[in-house]
Amino acid sequence: FFEDEYEFEVKKLQKEGIINFHGFQEEVRPFYTKANCIVLPSYHEGMSNVLLEAAATGRALITSNIPGCKEAVLDGKSGYLCPVKDYERLYQVMEKFINLSADEREAMGKVGRTWMEKAFDKKKVIAETVDEIVQCNIYDYYIMR
């Protein structure tokens, strides 16, 4: 699965041995566990499940400094943020990550895992959402009177 406009390029890169494209996967954990870092240079994004899942598995992240991506990264601690559409900076950051020691890369992943537990705990997110709804309803009630 990929957008049709990328089909030719993906097949070309596969044929050249530059990438391995695995298509849509129901079970992504094996792919995350084989990686030291997940790179998602997005131009626009909703809240990125890829980044949340990867960080939850203890992987460092490199992604664009845009809404939907930046919330998953503690810049310089659990990964790196890059300006959107800046391929030179992306390359520099990827090179910086590659040059970290194995212990430093692993430590980044651990920080990311802790960040996921703290910021995206399901019970906490649900409680905050319910609080917002309740506050909005009370506010709307008083405004409407």
Side-chain angles (χ1 to χ4, degrees):
F1 167 76
F2 47 79
E3 294 178 25
D4 291 339
E5 63 189 272
Y6 301 114
E7 183 176 6
F8 174 79
E9 190 67 25
V10 168
K11 287 182 178 179
K12 178 181 167 219
L13 292 171
Q14 270 189 285
K15 190 174 182 177
E16 293 173 6
I18 295 172
I19 66 167
N20 292 320
F21 181 71
H22 299 282
F24 178 80
Q25 299 292 313
E26 288 285 335
E27 179 54 60
V28 295
R29 285 178 287 193
F31 293 92
Y32 291 136
T33 58
K34 290 181 180 180
N36 294 116
C37 180
I38 302 301
V39 180
L40 180 65
S42 183
Y43 291 179
H44 55 84
E45 199 73 39
M47 180 56 72
S48 172
N49 285 332
V50 168
L51 295 176
L52 298 177
E53 290 168 351
T57 65
R59 300 302 169 261
L61 308 174
I62 297 174
T63 191
S64 304
N65 190 6
I66 59 170
C69 292
K70 65 183 179 182
E71 294 81 3
V73 181
L74 299 173
D75 194 25
K77 296 176 183 162
S78 68
Y80 299 110
L81 294 172
C82 296
V84 69
K85 299 183 183 182
D86 187 342
Y87 68 89
E88 290 175 358
R89 182 71 181 129
L90 176 63
Y91 178 84
Q92 291 168 355
V93 168
M94 290 171 66
E95 190 171 47
K96 181 178 181 178
F97 181 81
I98 289 169
N99 288 321
L100 294 175
S101 70
D103 288 341
E104 290 170 316
R105 291 192 300 265
E106 186 177 329
M108 272 192 158
K110 287 180 180 178
V111 169
R113 170 63 189 188
T114 300
W115 175 241
M116 289 301 104
E117 291 171 354
K118 180 180 178 185
F120 295 96
D121 175 80
K122 186 175 183 177
K123 290 179 184 176
K124 181 180 176 185
V125 170
I126 291 171
E128 288 174 1
T129 302
V130 169
D131 285 347
E132 284 293 320
I133 292 169
V134 169
Q135 288 177 9
C136 287
N137 286 339
I138 290 171
Y139 177 77
D140 288 343
Y141 172 78
Y142 287 111
I143 295 298
M144 299 303 240
R145 294 183 103 204

